[in-house]
Amino acid sequence: MADPVPVIRKLEKALADDDFAWSLLLVGEDQADKLATLTADLRGPFSATGDGKRVTSGFSYWGIAPTIAWANATNDPFYLVMKVGTESFLRHWRKLRPQVERGGFHLVSLGIGTGIKDRTILGDMRRNNPDMYYIPVDMSSEMLRMGTLEPVRGARFPVSQVLPVQLDFSIDDNMDELAQMLARLVGDEPILFTLTGNTLANFESDEELLGTLTRVLRPQDRLLLEVASTTRLDQEAADAAADEYHQTRAFAEFVTSALRYNTDLKINNDLVKFVGEVEDDGLLVKILWQNDTGDEVRMELPDHTEVTLPVGDTIRLYTTRKYSADRLKRLTEACKLTPVEAIQSQFRYTRRPNPFGLELLLLAPEAAGETGHSLADDIWAR
């Protein structure tokens, strides 16, 4: 068999020397299977609380229309959660980066988002490891194409060291396959996995997702986790958390875009509800479409079958959370993760005292043994 390396190098050079916006993409899933999953989720039972029919995490960004809607929402100055998160990340990262920037890490970004945070990380890490690989992973190939532009162009990162991977990283088998591929690619060299932008909070079972990610971490690897935090756990705080997302029309357009793109449901934003609840030492925000029209509504699904939406029925469009320190501690301990460092800051964009903030955690698998219980306890006590 001919050596594939010269062919790969020729391909890399051909793309690097061309001004056209080429992008390579490793597709890990059958997209027809994903469409079938979305269709099945939209056939769920009646629920007046958003616990029946749903658009599960990942599908909110899946497809060109949701991707464009997400890009529009992130550029909306009234989307304060995104604005403050982007602004605070650089400060938080600067305090954590000494732990990883000299370790020869490669970067695996889980849920690429806008790519701005990846640009910051890559710019710092590559100075000490010019041969590092950047592997962004997302269920949406359109999000991967959009999100990689910022790190590649902004950080001048070589295209030949970028490998976008289309994959739903919430599935155990997918992560096992990804881990095997990464091991073949980088050998025993350490990997920094990142899950930023409060992405963990978008999954129905955040502990299950974090456990799925933890199982592929080797002792030399690290996980950079960013979540929204709260110092209060009461209904007033839950309502305020929901209101954060209700302030911008662009966000409402984003969360309804999966329905607009994949069904024939006529969307009226007045039927979109933002519901805050206190949940297990945290705040849960559910964003729902609810049939308050007074009549049954029929909705055609991607397979051209129809479902009936009775009066009061809901479709959950999006889930997010804010975490208390106690919940974060229990969550990481349950997944056998130890904090190496943690940086927390409070939001200051309102006139009245605000209980909300952001937490950036650098986590190691317990097997790494680099931090004892005393250090972990000190970090959680801050």
Side-chain angles (χ1 to χ4, degrees):
M1 180 182 294
D3 184 0
V5 173
V7 177
I8 294 172
R9 287 176 178 165
K10 284 183 180 179
L11 178 59
E12 292 172 349
K13 185 176 186 302
L15 298 180
D17 292 345
D18 198 317
D19 290 334
F20 192 74
W22 295 107
S23 60
L24 290 173
L25 173 66
L26 189 62
V27 178
E29 293 179 297
D30 187 333
Q31 298 302 282
D33 290 346
K34 305 310 290 182
L35 190 61
T37 300
L38 174 61
T39 303
D41 288 343
L42 291 174
R43 283 202 186 99
F46 174 90
S47 171
T49 58
D51 299 311
K53 302 171 182 66
R54 68 191 65 199
V55 177
T56 53
S57 185
F59 287 104
S60 298
Y61 309 85
W62 190 63
I64 186 61
T67 296
I68 293 172
W70 168 246
N72 290 338
T74 60
N75 290 320
D76 188 333
F78 293 100
Y79 186 9
L80 295 177
V81 179
M82 174 61 65
K83 181 176 183 292
V84 174
T86 301
E87 291 172 351
S88 66
F89 180 80
L90 180 58
R91 299 195 309 273
H92 289 184
W93 165 250
R94 283 174 176 167
K95 296 177 182 179
L96 292 181
R97 68 185 180 189
Q99 300 281 356
V100 294
E101 65 180 344
R102 296 187 181 279
F105 283 81
H106 302 276
L107 177 63
V108 174
S109 175
L110 303 171
I112 188 169
T114 62
I116 292 175
K117 294 173 183 178
D118 286 357
R119 180 188 67 185
T120 299
I121 296 171
L122 288 171
D124 288 337
M125 291 176 61
R126 188 168 176 261
R127 282 196 290 269
N128 294 296
N129 186 16
D131 297 325
M132 70 176 292
Y133 284 103
Y134 169 46
I135 300 102
V137 182
D138 203 288
M139 200 181 90
S140 168
S141 56
E142 290 83 1
M143 285 290 293
L144 284 167
R145 179 174 173 83
M146 180 192 75
T148 53
L149 291 177
E150 184 71 29
V152 170
R153 294 178 180 176
R156 298 176 182 263
F157 197 85
V159 176
S160 60
Q161 293 166 223
V162 181
L163 181 61
V165 177
Q166 182 283 318
L167 199 71
D168 183 347
F169 54 80
S170 68
I171 298 174
D172 287 349
D173 289 346
N174 285 356
M175 284 304 296
D176 290 343
E177 292 293 337
L178 178 65
Q180 292 173 33
M181 185 274 286
L182 292 172
R184 292 191 293 268
L185 180 67
V186 306
D188 293 330
E189 295 172 1
I191 296 172
L192 175 65
F193 291 84
T194 64
L195 189 69
T196 59
N198 203 31
T199 301
L200 179 67
N202 300 149
F203 289 82
E204 186 156 349
S205 176
D206 48 2
E207 182 175 333
E208 184 177 330
L209 173 67
L210 193 58
T212 294
L213 305 185
T214 303
R215 59 185 285 175
V216 304
L217 294 180
R218 303 164 301 171
Q220 65 269 37
D221 297 334
R222 297 292 179 266
L223 173 64
L224 186 70
L225 177 67
E226 184 185 38
V227 295
S229 61
T230 181
T231 58
R232 278 177 43 199
L233 297 172
D234 53 51
Q235 191 57 48
E236 183 181 357
D239 292 340
D243 191 55
E244 281 185 336
Y245 293 91
H246 199 191
Q247 295 180 45
T248 164
R249 180 179 177 83
F251 186 80
E253 295 290 334
F254 157 62
V255 294
T256 56
S257 62
L259 286 184
R260 296 179 194 271
Y261 187 64
N262 293 288
T263 75
D264 68 345
L265 188 65
K266 300 296 186 288
I267 303 294
N268 180 341
N269 283 349
D270 291 338
L271 300 181
V272 178
K273 317 294 183 184
F274 296 75
V275 182
E277 302 174 358
V278 180
E279 175 206 55
D280 187 24
D281 281 348
L283 302 178
L284 173 69
V285 175
K286 296 190 289 188
I287 303 172
L288 323 170
W289 177 92
Q290 186 162 36
N291 180 14
D292 286 344
T293 64
D295 297 302
E296 286 187 349
V297 174
R298 299 188 70 81
M299 178 174 67
E300 184 176 302
L301 299 177
D303 64 353
H304 304 299
T305 61
E306 286 189 340
V307 295
T308 299
L309 304 167
V311 174
D313 200 5
T314 58
I315 302 172
R316 189 188 299 196
L317 306 174
Y318 201 76
T319 301
T320 189
R321 295 180 176 86
K322 293 185 184 293
Y323 293 87
S324 68
D326 286 343
R327 177 161 181 169
L328 273 177
K329 181 180 180 181
R330 287 203 306 273
L331 191 62
T332 53
E333 287 178 348
C335 295
K336 295 182 170 39
L337 290 168
T338 302
V340 177
E341 187 56 89
I343 308 296
Q344 198 272 342
S345 66
Q346 295 300 114
F347 287 176
R348 297 184 178 88
Y349 59 77
T350 58
R351 292 179 181 175
R352 65 179 185 271
N354 193 298
F356 305 142
L358 287 170
E359 192 100 19
L360 189 64
L361 305 168
L362 184 63
L363 301 165
E366 283 186 357
E370 289 198 5
T371 58
H373 287 293
S374 59
L375 177 55
D377 290 342
D378 288 344
I379 288 174
W380 289 123
R382 293 175 189 173

